[in-house]
Amino acid sequence: MLTPACGDDDVGGGSADLGEEGAGTGETGGETEGSEGEGEFGPETELTLRINDEAPPDLVLQMGRDEVAELFGEVASEIELLELDSTPLLTNTLNAIKYACGDDWELDSEDPNHDCSQTALGQSFGGGNWQTSPEFSMVRILTMTPANSVVKGTSLESVQGLTDFLALFTGGFSELMAESLKIPVNEEFLDTESVVASLKVNLLATHPEISDEGKITVTLQDALEDMATMATRLGPVGDHPGVLVPDYPTHGEVFGPDFEMKVTAASNLRVLDGADLSAGKDFISVIADVTGPSYDDEAEFDFNDPDKFSMTGLASNPSLDLRFAISEHPGFVVSCTEDISPACVNNAPDLPIGDSLVWTLDPWDLEYMVAYAGRLRYGGLESVVTKLFTDVVEVGQDGNPGGWAVFNVPLGWLFGEPPAQYVWEMINEVAQHDLHHLDPDGPATFEEGAANVEFTLDDIPCGLTGEQAEAAVRPFLQAQASDIAGYLLGNYKQNSGPVDFYFRRAEDGAPYLFWVAPEDLLDGLDYGWDTPGFFADAALTTKLSATELPGVGDSSHEKLRIEPGETTVYAADDEGASYRIRIVAPAGDPSEITAYVAKRTN
């Protein structure tokens, strides 16, 4: 922490002595008797109080990484640098996963020809045995297209069998699906944009460390520790499974080896002349803030001014090494179909139907996020697919909402056809089945609830440059300027002596005597003044000072404006002793006054 420099030649260590050699003090006579009813007072002690109108030098900081860590170490986690939009990070993460096993899935082919040995990420699946890993299953879901979809074991199996059998007339199952969803046969059922939006809303925004808009706060501590703290912050909390795996060392360089921060601020700290009525002259460190919007800042920062704040040496293209986790629901989630309830046509996240159906799950469950992504993409879908002179699939027709699919497959009454349902619940059914069956003709590879995935990704771009990061930091730091001033200079009260009042200018430029208020004391120190302020009589019944004065923003201190000439006031210290104070001020604008203090003796 920093301590303010004393700007007055009279500043010394401790209180001024009341003896003849005391600086700025002197006894002016024996006991005196006041006017009738005032009581008797002891000898007067002379105190000289001055106002130094010269502003203290600016606070100038020029720090490397180590100096920043040393200065802000204890509060670095409380200083927010920026909010990171999670969309680019999620998009880059998802694309890395989708292409971890090659890109042949983009072809119009029944075989996506996945080969996870092509990439370092793919090779990490299953500890090297990627063919039987849940991560590979997840890749299959994300790269599922009408051309390569496998629906064996789902309600679409009969539809695929019939349409492929009649492919000469129907174009086959892939064409039927593509036309129903209005997408090309080689395009994913769930595109990157929809999945990213679903992750952002349901996995990220539900975490207490992430905003409702899915923005991730990066703190100074995160940056100083190369984002290692991010894994803990974004790990499991309460019922939330977390976004990052906490025991994996998340890493991302923000501050490069040549990082430097420069800050210049105007100090609002003043060391003022004051009086301890029982001991003599002393000094007090106070905030003299006349700059809004707040008037209690230790210093004035302007982080938006490049001449007063700069950060250089940031990583040019920040990226992250991270481990990203998604968990599934422990049981199979059936689709809400017309056969279950006619009300399923109204099934929605904000109006969930049934029990253990998709919208009754936790939003961070895989099944919920898959269905949500499908709803985002196909929520307004309207289509009619006609084959063999029959409307085989009708989506969003006959007054039904967008995405509600009704099937009329030739011979469907004989071989079976899916009941009416939303297309995203149908996609979710297929995704769940494929997640657990790497071999469509074999038994389940993973039991329900056992196909949770963790993807370890390296060097994922955060979506902003170092230059953009420096620009983004400015408004965040400016919003915390008052807090940062407190972090840096909050120990200023340690320099204060035990004064009862002090001499200073207020916002209106006039000189005042300020009586000590609770805010002037060290934290935890009791306020001992029963009758603070300045009075016209020794009995302390008629107050001359006030906390509220026109043109003065301060409203917590008892204040007495000093006028030229001689003024006599009375006051009591924190020990309950009463005093008479004669104040002599020169003509004009008094920046130096003499106070003659006498203690009441009866």
Side-chain angles (χ1 to χ4, degrees):
M1 300 296 283
L2 300 182
T3 56
C6 296
D8 193 302
D9 291 339
D10 286 337
V11 177
S15 303
D17 181 62
L18 290 181
E20 294 180 358
E21 298 180 359
T25 71
E27 295 183 359
T28 60
E31 293 188 359
T32 60
E33 186 175 319
S35 60
E36 185 177 353
E38 287 187 352
E40 296 181 355
F41 293 84
E44 288 184 330
T45 300
E46 179 182 333
L47 308 178
T48 301
L49 305 180
R50 303 182 184 91
I51 294 176
N52 184 353
D53 288 319
E54 293 183 10
D58 286 342
L59 171 68
V60 179
L61 303 174
Q62 186 168 344
M63 304 171 288
R65 178 180 181 137
D66 292 341
E67 289 82 5
V68 171
E70 181 179 359
L71 186 61
F72 292 101
E74 294 183 0
V75 296
S77 63
E78 300 174 34
I79 298 177
E80 298 178 356
L81 291 182
L82 55 83
E83 277 189 336
L84 183 66
D85 182 0
S86 60
T87 300
L89 182 62
L90 284 172
T91 299
N92 294 330
T93 298
L94 191 66
N95 283 334
I97 294 170
K98 288 173 69 172
Y99 291 95
C101 303
D103 58 6
D104 284 0
W105 58 268
E106 293 181 312
L107 303 175
D108 181 5
S109 171
E110 290 185 12
D111 184 2
N113 193 30
H114 289 119
D115 181 4
C116 302
S117 66
Q118 297 181 49
T119 67
L121 174 58
Q123 294 170 18
S124 72
F125 295 168
N129 189 17
W130 61 264
Q131 296 91 340
T132 57
S133 66
E135 288 75 23
F136 172 47
S137 283
M138 181 65 72
V139 171
R140 293 168 66 238
I141 292 174
L142 294 174
T143 58
M144 185 168 54
T145 68
N148 65 36
S149 59
V150 178
V151 298
K152 188 171 183 178
T154 74
S155 60
L156 287 173
E157 182 176 1
S158 60
V159 178
Q160 182 182 38
L162 281 169
T163 52
D164 283 347
F165 179 74
L166 301 173
L168 181 64
F169 307 102
T170 65
F173 180 71
S174 61
E175 183 176 314
L176 177 70
M177 290 298 294
E179 291 181 24
S180 298
L181 299 176
K182 290 187 173 181
I183 61 174
V185 294
N186 62 334
E187 185 170 306
E188 317 97 290
F189 287 142
L190 302 175
D191 63 331
T192 296
E193 182 179 2
S194 299
V195 176
V196 165
S198 180
L199 290 170
K200 192 173 179 179
V201 170
N202 298 305
L203 181 62
L204 271 69
T206 55
H207 194 284
E209 284 288 324
I210 300 176
S211 75
D212 292 342
E213 296 78 29
K215 293 183 178 180
I216 303 170
T217 298
V218 178
T219 69
L220 180 58
Q221 182 183 37
D222 294 330
L224 287 170
E225 299 192 22
D226 291 333
M227 308 302 277
T229 48
M230 191 70 76
T232 301
R233 288 181 52 224
L234 301 186
V237 178
D239 293 335
H240 197 289
V243 178
L244 300 179
V245 178
D247 59 0
Y248 180 80
T250 300
H251 180 270
E253 185 179 272
V254 179
F255 296 158
D258 57 345
F259 168 78
E260 184 176 67
M261 179 189 293
K262 295 181 180 179
V263 185
T264 300
S267 175
N268 288 327
L269 295 183
R270 302 292 187 271
V271 179
L272 305 177
D273 287 12
D276 179 350
L277 289 171
S278 65
K281 183 175 178 179
D282 211 325
F283 303 91
I284 185 171
S285 294
V286 301
I287 296 173
D289 183 2
V290 295
T291 304
S294 60
Y295 292 93
D296 58 358
D297 297 334
E298 291 87 349
E300 298 296 332
F301 289 94
D302 188 353
F303 291 101
N304 292 316
D305 186 342
D307 292 332
K308 296 182 178 180
F309 171 73
S310 65
M311 293 177 69
T312 57
L314 297 173
S316 57
N317 291 287
S319 62
L320 283 176
D321 301 337
L322 54 88
R323 182 168 289 168
F324 178 70
I326 297 179
S327 302
E328 65 163 338
H329 185 69
F332 187 83
V333 182
V334 300
S335 298
C336 190
T337 68
E338 189 176 46
D339 288 353
I340 291 178
S341 170
C344 283
V345 73
N346 299 315
N347 194 26
D350 57 349
L351 187 66
I353 301 297
D355 183 26
S356 298
L357 300 182
V358 68
W359 303 131
T360 66
L361 308 182
D362 289 324
W364 46 76
D365 285 338
L366 171 64
E367 295 85 349
Y368 190 107
M369 291 191 288
V370 166
Y372 195 95
R375 190 172 188 265
L376 288 175
R377 187 171 195 191
Y378 303 112
L381 179 64
E382 296 179 357
S383 65
V384 177
V385 181
T386 303
K387 303 292 182 182
L388 299 175
F389 309 105
T390 301
D391 293 339
V392 178
V393 184
E394 297 175 290
V395 183
Q397 303 299 312
D398 301 327
N400 290 319
W404 183 260
V406 177
F407 296 85
N408 185 25
V409 181
L411 301 179
W413 58 272
L414 179 61
F415 296 97
E417 63 184 4
Q421 61 189 287
Y422 281 112
V423 295
W424 46 87
E425 299 215 38
M426 188 181 308
I427 293 172
N428 198 25
E429 179 196 5
V430 175
Q432 289 182 84
H433 188 273
D434 286 3
L435 179 67
H436 294 86
H437 294 80
L438 286 170
D439 179 1
D441 297 317
T445 310
F446 310 105
E447 298 297 326
E448 288 291 337
N452 302 321
V453 297
E454 292 185 357
F455 293 101
T456 303
L457 302 110
D458 295 329
D459 206 25
I460 299 298
C462 293
L464 79 172
T465 65
E467 184 177 352
Q468 291 169 332
E470 195 220 358
V473 159
R474 293 181 180 277
F476 271 83
L477 291 181
Q478 190 60 40
Q480 302 166 87
S482 293
D483 293 334
I484 292 172
Y487 297 147
L488 291 173
L489 301 169
N491 65 341
Y492 69 92
K493 296 177 185 178
Q494 295 177 4
N495 298 327
S496 298
V499 303
D500 295 291
F501 62 87
Y502 51 92
F503 192 36
R504 61 161 288 188
R505 293 192 190 279
E507 292 91 329
D508 60 357
Y512 288 83
L513 288 180
F514 272 58
W515 197 269
V516 168
E519 65 198 55
D520 297 319
L521 306 183
L522 282 171
D523 294 342
L525 196 63
D526 292 334
Y527 189 76
W529 291 267
D530 294 329
T531 53
F534 302 93
F535 295 81
D537 60 304
L540 308 182
T541 60
T542 304
K543 186 175 286 187
L544 297 176
S545 59
T547 56
E548 301 279 353
L549 292 174
V552 179
D554 174 85
S555 60
S556 60
H557 293 81
E558 290 283 344
K559 296 172 288 292
L560 178 69
R561 180 164 177 165
I562 300 303
E563 303 290 352
E566 181 173 327
T567 304
T568 299
V569 298
Y570 299 87
D573 65 10
D574 55 342
E575 296 176 352
S578 296
Y579 295 83
R580 185 185 64 209
I581 310 165
R582 287 194 305 116
I583 305 164
V584 179
D589 178 13
S591 59
E592 179 179 312
I593 62 174
T594 303
Y596 298 93
V597 179
K599 184 176 182 179
R600 185 171 180 176
T601 58
N602 72 333

